Amino acid sequence: MDYRLATILSTIFFGIYPILGDRASQIHGSKVNFLFYTLYMLIVSVFFLIFNRDDFSKITKTSFVYAQGFALFIIAGFLLMTYAWEITPEKLSVIMVTIGFCTIITAVLGNFIGSKLDVYQWAGALIALLGVILVNLGRQGVNNIINS
């Protein structure tokens, strides 16, 4: 699979899964969703472990520390996102903030790890930021800005 197609599909999947998760959590709560998420991640992880055992020989102390940080931030982000879904009346806003800020933070932090972005990539991150702001303002907030 081409990396561009994989990127587009992952963006679509990350846009769809919160909607389905919200619908399910309205019925049985977000903690049950977290349990399902954990279960499926475990199944996928075991599958990859079976077929990619040679990757374990590549683990170093540094990569182990990075992996722990990665896992902790993923879990914390997911828990905070599900908490935000529970307490906000505007579910779409939470989804857009989560996805939009991921784009922006990835762009900014990418510079610190040596991934230099070109002008078009920075423009995309800024457009994403503008989109997040507009979604959070809602129709009434945008009308107030235009009419002031």
mmCIF file of all heavy atoms in Angstrom, residues 22-42:
data_model
loop_
_atom_site.group_PDB
_atom_site.id
_atom_site.type_symbol
_atom_site.label_atom_id
_atom_site.label_comp_id
_atom_site.label_asym_id
_atom_site.label_seq_id
_atom_site.Cartn_x
_atom_site.Cartn_y
_atom_site.Cartn_z
ATOM 1 N N ASP A 22 -18.790 7.391 20.251
ATOM 2 C CA ASP A 22 -19.754 8.216 20.973
ATOM 3 C C ASP A 22 -21.117 7.547 21.010
ATOM 4 O O ASP A 22 -21.779 7.511 22.048
ATOM 5 C CB ASP A 22 -19.867 9.592 20.320
ATOM 6 C CG ASP A 22 -20.922 10.439 20.981
ATOM 7 O OD1 ASP A 22 -20.828 10.659 22.209
ATOM 8 O OD2 ASP A 22 -21.866 10.862 20.290
ATOM 9 N N ARG A 23 -21.541 7.011 19.881
ATOM 10 C CA ARG A 23 -22.845 6.341 19.842
ATOM 11 C C ARG A 23 -22.867 5.160 20.812
ATOM 12 O O ARG A 23 -23.840 4.946 21.521
ATOM 13 C CB ARG A 23 -23.145 5.854 18.429
ATOM 14 C CG ARG A 23 -23.240 6.972 17.418
ATOM 15 C CD ARG A 23 -24.684 7.313 17.114
ATOM 16 N NE ARG A 23 -24.802 8.545 16.369
ATOM 17 C CZ ARG A 23 -24.880 8.612 15.043
ATOM 18 N NH1 ARG A 23 -24.832 7.526 14.329
ATOM 19 N NH2 ARG A 23 -25.015 9.783 14.466
ATOM 20 N N ALA A 24 -21.793 4.387 20.827
ATOM 21 C CA ALA A 24 -21.739 3.236 21.732
ATOM 22 C C ALA A 24 -21.684 3.695 23.183
ATOM 23 O O ALA A 24 -22.354 3.115 24.050
ATOM 24 C CB ALA A 24 -20.527 2.365 21.409
ATOM 25 N N SER A 25 -20.904 4.737 23.471
ATOM 26 C CA SER A 25 -20.770 5.176 24.869
ATOM 27 C C SER A 25 -22.052 5.793 25.398
ATOM 28 O O SER A 25 -22.265 5.806 26.604
ATOM 29 C CB SER A 25 -19.597 6.141 25.027
ATOM 30 O OG SER A 25 -19.836 7.349 24.350
ATOM 31 N N GLN A 26 -22.903 6.292 24.523
ATOM 32 C CA GLN A 26 -24.207 6.787 24.979
ATOM 33 C C GLN A 26 -25.050 5.652 25.539
ATOM 34 O O GLN A 26 -25.887 5.859 26.402
ATOM 35 C CB GLN A 26 -24.951 7.468 23.825
ATOM 36 C CG GLN A 26 -24.373 8.796 23.438
ATOM 37 C CD GLN A 26 -25.073 9.392 22.226
ATOM 38 O OE1 GLN A 26 -26.029 8.834 21.697
ATOM 39 N NE2 GLN A 26 -24.592 10.532 21.778
ATOM 40 N N ILE A 27 -24.796 4.450 25.051
ATOM 41 C CA ILE A 27 -25.553 3.282 25.510
ATOM 42 C C ILE A 27 -24.885 2.623 26.708
ATOM 43 O O ILE A 27 -25.517 2.376 27.730
ATOM 44 C CB ILE A 27 -25.716 2.264 24.355
ATOM 45 C CG1 ILE A 27 -26.489 2.900 23.204
ATOM 46 C CG2 ILE A 27 -26.401 0.994 24.848
ATOM 47 C CD1 ILE A 27 -26.444 2.123 21.908
ATOM 48 N N HIS A 28 -23.574 2.339 26.592
ATOM 49 C CA HIS A 28 -22.937 1.569 27.657
ATOM 50 C C HIS A 28 -21.791 2.294 28.362
ATOM 51 O O HIS A 28 -21.153 1.718 29.222
ATOM 52 C CB HIS A 28 -22.442 0.205 27.134
ATOM 53 C CG HIS A 28 -21.458 0.311 26.010
ATOM 54 N ND1 HIS A 28 -21.667 -0.313 24.824
ATOM 55 C CD2 HIS A 28 -20.277 0.945 25.893
ATOM 56 C CE1 HIS A 28 -20.662 -0.077 24.015
ATOM 57 N NE2 HIS A 28 -19.807 0.686 24.644
ATOM 58 N N GLY A 29 -21.492 3.529 28.019
ATOM 59 C CA GLY A 29 -20.460 4.299 28.706
ATOM 60 C C GLY A 29 -19.093 4.170 28.048
ATOM 61 O O GLY A 29 -18.789 3.185 27.380
ATOM 62 N N SER A 30 -18.282 5.183 28.255
ATOM 63 C CA SER A 30 -16.975 5.233 27.582
ATOM 64 C C SER A 30 -15.978 4.230 28.160
ATOM 65 O O SER A 30 -15.052 3.821 27.471
ATOM 66 C CB SER A 30 -16.403 6.641 27.663
ATOM 67 O OG SER A 30 -16.176 7.002 29.006
ATOM 68 N N LYS A 31 -16.167 3.821 29.402
ATOM 69 C CA LYS A 31 -15.226 2.855 29.987
ATOM 70 C C LYS A 31 -15.326 1.493 29.317
ATOM 71 O O LYS A 31 -14.330 0.793 29.158
ATOM 72 C CB LYS A 31 -15.444 2.771 31.486
ATOM 73 C CG LYS A 31 -14.974 4.041 32.190
ATOM 74 C CD LYS A 31 -15.581 4.167 33.563
ATOM 75 C CE LYS A 31 -15.358 5.529 34.144
ATOM 76 N NZ LYS A 31 -16.101 6.590 33.460
ATOM 77 N N VAL A 32 -16.522 1.132 28.878
ATOM 78 C CA VAL A 32 -16.685 -0.118 28.129
ATOM 79 C C VAL A 32 -16.001 0.014 26.773
ATOM 80 O O VAL A 32 -15.329 -0.907 26.312
ATOM 81 C CB VAL A 32 -18.180 -0.479 27.970
ATOM 82 C CG1 VAL A 32 -18.349 -1.721 27.112
ATOM 83 C CG2 VAL A 32 -18.817 -0.680 29.339
ATOM 84 N N ASN A 33 -16.118 1.185 26.143
ATOM 85 C CA ASN A 33 -15.398 1.419 24.883
ATOM 86 C C ASN A 33 -13.903 1.266 25.084
ATOM 87 O O ASN A 33 -13.207 0.698 24.243
ATOM 88 C CB ASN A 33 -15.685 2.815 24.347
ATOM 89 C CG ASN A 33 -17.016 2.905 23.674
ATOM 90 O OD1 ASN A 33 -17.726 1.924 23.536
ATOM 91 N ND2 ASN A 33 -17.368 4.101 23.257
ATOM 92 N N PHE A 34 -13.387 1.800 26.180
ATOM 93 C CA PHE A 34 -11.956 1.696 26.456
ATOM 94 C C PHE A 34 -11.556 0.230 26.617
ATOM 95 O O PHE A 34 -10.490 -0.180 26.147
ATOM 96 C CB PHE A 34 -11.594 2.503 27.707
ATOM 97 C CG PHE A 34 -10.117 2.595 27.938
ATOM 98 C CD1 PHE A 34 -9.318 3.335 27.092
ATOM 99 C CD2 PHE A 34 -9.527 1.931 28.994
ATOM 100 C CE1 PHE A 34 -7.950 3.427 27.289
ATOM 101 C CE2 PHE A 34 -8.170 2.009 29.205
ATOM 102 C CZ PHE A 34 -7.379 2.763 28.357
ATOM 103 N N LEU A 35 -12.403 -0.560 27.232
ATOM 104 C CA LEU A 35 -12.132 -1.992 27.380
ATOM 105 C C LEU A 35 -12.058 -2.668 26.011
ATOM 106 O O LEU A 35 -11.137 -3.440 25.738
ATOM 107 C CB LEU A 35 -13.197 -2.654 28.249
ATOM 108 C CG LEU A 35 -13.067 -4.170 28.408
ATOM 109 C CD1 LEU A 35 -11.815 -4.518 29.198
ATOM 110 C CD2 LEU A 35 -14.295 -4.737 29.082
ATOM 111 N N PHE A 36 -13.025 -2.366 25.125
ATOM 112 C CA PHE A 36 -12.997 -2.930 23.776
ATOM 113 C C PHE A 36 -11.755 -2.483 23.016
ATOM 114 O O PHE A 36 -11.112 -3.271 22.320
ATOM 115 C CB PHE A 36 -14.248 -2.547 22.979
ATOM 116 C CG PHE A 36 -15.455 -3.358 23.355
ATOM 117 C CD1 PHE A 36 -16.610 -2.727 23.792
ATOM 118 C CD2 PHE A 36 -15.448 -4.737 23.254
ATOM 119 C CE1 PHE A 36 -17.729 -3.459 24.128
ATOM 120 C CE2 PHE A 36 -16.561 -5.492 23.588
ATOM 121 C CZ PHE A 36 -17.703 -4.838 24.032
ATOM 122 N N TYR A 37 -11.420 -1.199 23.129
ATOM 123 C CA TYR A 37 -10.231 -0.658 22.475
ATOM 124 C C TYR A 37 -8.990 -1.420 22.931
ATOM 125 O O TYR A 37 -8.167 -1.850 22.123
ATOM 126 C CB TYR A 37 -10.110 0.836 22.800
ATOM 127 C CG TYR A 37 -8.828 1.472 22.327
ATOM 128 C CD1 TYR A 37 -8.668 1.836 21.002
ATOM 129 C CD2 TYR A 37 -7.792 1.724 23.218
ATOM 130 C CE1 TYR A 37 -7.503 2.430 20.572
ATOM 131 C CE2 TYR A 37 -6.627 2.317 22.796
ATOM 132 C CZ TYR A 37 -6.484 2.672 21.473
ATOM 133 O OH TYR A 37 -5.326 3.259 21.057
ATOM 134 N N THR A 38 -8.875 -1.603 24.234
ATOM 135 C CA THR A 38 -7.730 -2.322 24.792
ATOM 136 C C THR A 38 -7.696 -3.764 24.310
ATOM 137 O O THR A 38 -6.639 -4.284 23.934
ATOM 138 C CB THR A 38 -7.789 -2.283 26.333
ATOM 139 O OG1 THR A 38 -7.837 -0.926 26.752
ATOM 140 C CG2 THR A 38 -6.586 -2.960 26.948
ATOM 141 N N LEU A 39 -8.834 -4.419 24.300
ATOM 142 C CA LEU A 39 -8.914 -5.803 23.854
ATOM 143 C C LEU A 39 -8.463 -5.949 22.399
ATOM 144 O O LEU A 39 -7.638 -6.809 22.073
ATOM 145 C CB LEU A 39 -10.343 -6.328 24.014
ATOM 146 C CG LEU A 39 -10.605 -7.748 23.517
ATOM 147 C CD1 LEU A 39 -9.834 -8.753 24.357
ATOM 148 C CD2 LEU A 39 -12.093 -8.040 23.558
ATOM 149 N N TYR A 40 -8.972 -5.085 21.528
ATOM 150 C CA TYR A 40 -8.595 -5.179 20.116
ATOM 151 C C TYR A 40 -7.136 -4.804 19.883
ATOM 152 O O TYR A 40 -6.464 -5.393 19.030
ATOM 153 C CB TYR A 40 -9.535 -4.346 19.247
ATOM 154 C CG TYR A 40 -10.895 -4.973 19.110
ATOM 155 C CD1 TYR A 40 -12.035 -4.307 19.524
ATOM 156 C CD2 TYR A 40 -11.037 -6.258 18.597
ATOM 157 C CE1 TYR A 40 -13.278 -4.891 19.408
ATOM 158 C CE2 TYR A 40 -12.276 -6.852 18.488
ATOM 159 C CZ TYR A 40 -13.395 -6.170 18.898
ATOM 160 O OH TYR A 40 -14.621 -6.758 18.799
ATOM 161 N N MET A 41 -6.636 -3.836 20.625
ATOM 162 C CA MET A 41 -5.211 -3.500 20.502
ATOM 163 C C MET A 41 -4.346 -4.681 20.946
ATOM 164 O O MET A 41 -3.304 -4.952 20.351
ATOM 165 C CB MET A 41 -4.869 -2.255 21.316
ATOM 166 C CG MET A 41 -5.375 -0.979 20.686
ATOM 167 S SD MET A 41 -4.717 -0.685 19.032
ATOM 168 C CE MET A 41 -3.035 -0.256 19.411
ATOM 169 N N LEU A 42 -4.776 -5.391 21.969
ATOM 170 C CA LEU A 42 -4.046 -6.574 22.425
ATOM 171 C C LEU A 42 -4.043 -7.655 21.346
ATOM 172 O O LEU A 42 -3.004 -8.258 21.055
ATOM 173 C CB LEU A 42 -4.655 -7.108 23.725
ATOM 174 C CG LEU A 42 -3.985 -8.351 24.307
ATOM 175 C CD1 LEU A 42 -2.552 -8.035 24.729
ATOM 176 C CD2 LEU A 42 -4.776 -8.869 25.483
#
